[in-house]
Every structure is written in structure tokens, then in C-alpha cells.
Amino acid sequence: MHSRRSGKPGNVPSVTGFLRVRALAKINLDLRVLGLRPDGYHELRTVFQTISLADTIDIAFTPGRKISIEVEDGLGIPDNLAARAARMALAAMCVTGRVQMRIDKRIPMGAGLGGGSSDAAAVLLALPVLAGRRVELPELCRLAEQLGSDVPFFLLGGRAVGIGRGSELFPLPDEPSLPGLLVVPAVHVSTPEAYRRLSPRLTSESQQNKIFSFQSRTWNGVGREPACNDFEAVVFEQHRSLARLKKRLVGAGASVAMMTGSGAGVFGLFRTREEVTLALDSLGSLENQKAYRISLVSRQRYRSLWWGALKEHTTQKTWPPQSRYLRCPTTV
Ligand code: C5P
């Protein structure tokens, strides 16, 4: 991490502050879609889990009279969520200035891995630290939810149950990290379209069954036994290759193999790294798809990655990270 900031604790800095942070991807270890809500979203029961695959974001903030936000992501992503997050964070802090971001995208887009959401959450966590302001967690969660249903999870990391839109979160205990294999085929799945195809199949009877089954899976310990992703039913119908991929991961010894989010990423969890190597070999040539070795990242590890990245700019190991340049501890 580099820093071009000079500033004594207690002073709001007036020169450019710079940070490099990693925005981790997620997988869904379980995902049930219960039904359509009055607000047009679907009621979910899901288990989120952060994984080692990550984007890297360089973010610089220079206080000034005007707001300007620049994002370079190498892909020209229209209406980049990170830029929207920066704008919202500045408004929440009542701060103006220039935000410059460079995102090195490693998390495949449209694969159910939450890459754009994680980038946005990273900006919500990092920008207050650079600006010397504090934004409390409930306010960050409120901003995150406006950006997208998955964004609040990345403010917390580790393993968590998501209910409602997926943005109401409850932590699950950290478990020993398992090695895994993530395969992302060159198939594009539109999330709204996947919801539209699934929605007519949802009944009130199936809702009850799903709630009980989700509950018992969660109590038994997620990630150890096969779980459910409701989107598989509709996405596998359209893309048979994804169903075959899941079967191959099970055949290669994965204790859990399933699609993440609304796809198209499919992951397998294994007991050892050697098993992952064997699975990778057994998949043979992976034309039109990319394979990543992954590991599950616990909440404790997630937070220490953040504290490590922010350590020159923060005081203690508080969550959310708190800037050492705070003008007043209660300033929002
Ligand atoms: O919240 P987000 O912008 O990520 O959602 C993208 C789309 O996915 C929404 O516009 C909606 O169509 C669908 N969605 C849903 N129910 C959820 C989350 C997302 O219907 N719980």
C-alpha cells in the first residue's frame, strides 16, 4: 500500500490520500427463492460466503470544491457501481472533492460472484477513511442496499445468512477454510431474466418446505453437505453444459458442487488441495471456460485483510474501519 498523505491525527487531510484494497468475490452456499414481494424483488433465504478471488481497487481522494469521480476499469463498464458508491458516500459525508479509481477486474462479471457489488462495498468502506469521516454501519448498510441486494454482504464478509432481498444479514460462525474449484463458462445469464423464469414456479406450499429445509441445512452446518440453489432449475434447462459441469465436479470428488447466484459460475468444494488438483486434471481442457482455485475466506480473515490495507490511515481494529484523521468521533 502506498500513501501520499501527510496529516496529523485530529486533522482532516487536505492533500490526496491513496489506498489499494482488495474486493473479494462471493459464492452462495445455499440459495432459495421463496416468492415475489410487493416491491418487485423476490424474498430470499441464502448463505453468502466470501472467497479468495478478488478485484484490486486503487482509490485516491483529493478534497476540493467540486465533486468529480473517475473510474478506470479497463472494460468501460457503463454506470459502474463503484462510481455510484463513491457519489453516495461523498453525499452521506457532506464532503466534496475528486475521487479517482482504478479497478483491476479479476472477478468475472455476470457469473453470480458479486464482483461489481464487492467493488461498490469496498468504496463505501474505503472512502470515509480517506476523507477522514466516520459513517456508521447502519448508514453504510442503507447506502449499500440502494446500490444492490448483494452489496451489504460485502460490508461484513465471511459467511452470513441473507434474508429478504438478500440484504438483511446475520453472521454464521467462521469455519475452517475449505479449498475449492470455481469454473466460469462463457455463458451469460441475466439475473432479472432468471428471476422472471423462476417466479411463475413459486408456490406458497413450496415456500414453507424451502424455509424448513433451509433452516435445517443451516443448523447442520453449511458447506459440508449438498445444498440447493433454486436458480439451477431454470438456468440448467437453458444451459445443459452447466448441469454437466456440476456433475463432473461431483464425479471428481467435490463434497458440495453447485451454481452460485443466478450463474453462470459453478463451484466445487473439496477436502484437500490435492483433491482440487486432481479435479482440475480430470476436467481436462477447459475450452470456453475459466477455472480458478479458490478458498473460503472467513470474516476474521476478511477484516484483517481490510485492516492490513487501511492500517496507515486507521486507528484501531474497529468495524467499520475508522479514520485516524477524524475531525470529531461523532461526525457523520
Ligand atoms: O438488487 P439488484 O440490483 O442486484 O437486483 C438485480 C435484479 O435482480 C433486480 O432488478 C430484480 O429483477 C432481481 N432481484 C429480485 N429479487 C432479489 C434480488 C434481485 O427479483 N432479492
Side-chain angles (χ1 to χ4, degrees):
M1 196 190 69
H2 320 270
S3 171
R4 281 181 273 134
R5 160 137 63 203
S6 63
K8 299 185 199 88
N11 290 340
V12 174
S14 57
V15 296
T16 305
F18 173 83
L19 279 172
R20 171 167 291 176
V21 295
R22 291 177 71 216
L24 273 60
K26 61 86 180 157
I27 51 176
N28 296 85
L29 292 172
D30 204 312
L31 176 50
R32 322 282 173 126
V33 184
L34 302 186
L36 187 61
R37 297 157 32 123
D39 64 3
Y41 285 88
H42 288 78
E43 181 70 22
L44 303 183
R45 296 291 180 274
T46 189
V47 176
F48 291 111
Q49 169 71 58
T50 33
I51 59 170
S52 48
L53 181 64
D55 291 341
T56 301
I57 308 182
D58 288 340
I59 171 164
F61 175 67
T62 314
R65 282 169 189 235
K66 283 197 205 147
I67 291 181
S68 94
I69 293 165
E70 297 148 45
V71 188
E72 207 185 296
D73 56 26
L75 302 166
I77 302 167
D79 195 23
N80 194 309
L81 217 50
R84 287 175 51 201
R87 198 168 292 280
M88 285 170 75
L90 292 182
M93 296 184 286
C94 299
V95 160
T96 51
R98 181 178 187 198
V99 181
Q100 294 161 287
M101 292 178 276
R102 186 181 310 118
I103 307 179
D104 179 12
K105 287 231 56 92
R106 291 208 59 234
I107 305 172
M109 293 196 298
L113 298 165
S117 300
S118 186
D119 295 346
V123 173
L124 291 182
L125 288 170
L127 204 48
V129 168
L130 283 177
R133 303 291 169 122
R134 180 166 174 79
V135 183
E136 301 293 343
L137 191 57
E139 174 68 354
L140 285 179
C141 290
R142 195 183 64 77
L143 300 177
E145 194 191 41
Q146 287 175 41
L147 288 163
S149 306
D150 285 353
V151 181
F153 166 67
F154 292 102
L155 298 174
L156 305 162
R159 183 176 297 185
V161 167
I163 70 170
R165 274 173 62 188
S167 52
E168 192 180 333
L169 299 154
F170 299 92
L172 285 174
D174 279 341
E175 299 213 11
S177 179
L178 289 173
L181 188 59
L182 169 71
V183 184
V184 181
V187 163
H188 178 76
V189 181
S190 147
T191 300
E193 166 71 13
Y195 274 106
R196 268 197 296 280
R197 289 168 59 85
L198 183 58
S199 215
R201 304 183 190 192
L202 306 171
T203 64
S204 53
E205 192 194 344
S206 71
Q207 272 199 19
Q208 277 310 314
N209 294 339
K210 283 178 192 182
I211 288 172
F212 289 129
S213 151
F214 179 79
Q215 222 173 348
S216 92
R217 234 354 110 55
T218 314
W219 278 98
N220 285 341
V222 193
R224 285 197 220 118
E225 51 181 82
C228 269
N229 179 340
D230 283 349
F231 282 113
E232 287 182 353
V234 286
V235 176
F236 286 1
E237 260 174 24
Q238 278 201 307
H239 304 286
R240 298 301 306 158
S241 60
L242 300 189
R244 285 196 294 276
L245 181 55
K246 173 173 167 154
K247 267 199 181 146
R248 288 177 77 183
L249 286 169
V250 173
S255 52
V256 175
M258 59 193 287
M259 196 173 77
T260 175
S262 56
V266 178
F267 65 88
L269 299 180
F270 296 82
R271 277 162 291 268
T272 62
R273 284 173 194 275
E274 291 68 34
E275 282 186 6
V276 175
T277 306
L278 289 174
L280 201 48
D281 291 346
S282 78
L283 288 179
S285 80
L286 290 167
E287 266 174 47
N288 292 328
Q289 54 194 31
K290 277 193 163 175
Y292 303 83
R293 284 172 177 276
I294 55 167
S295 57
L296 307 187
V297 176
S298 69
R299 186 162 27 260
Q300 196 185 4
R301 175 85 189 120
Y302 189 77
R303 292 191 176 185
S304 48
L305 283 170
W306 268 98
W307 287 319
L310 302 180
K311 65 177 180 277
E312 285 178 30
H313 301 275
T314 48
T315 42
Q316 292 145 5
K317 291 191 168 179
T318 50
W319 197 264
Q322 188 172 324
S323 171
R324 66 167 57 186
Y325 309 103
L326 281 180
R327 194 193 307 228
C328 154
T330 54
T331 309
V332 170

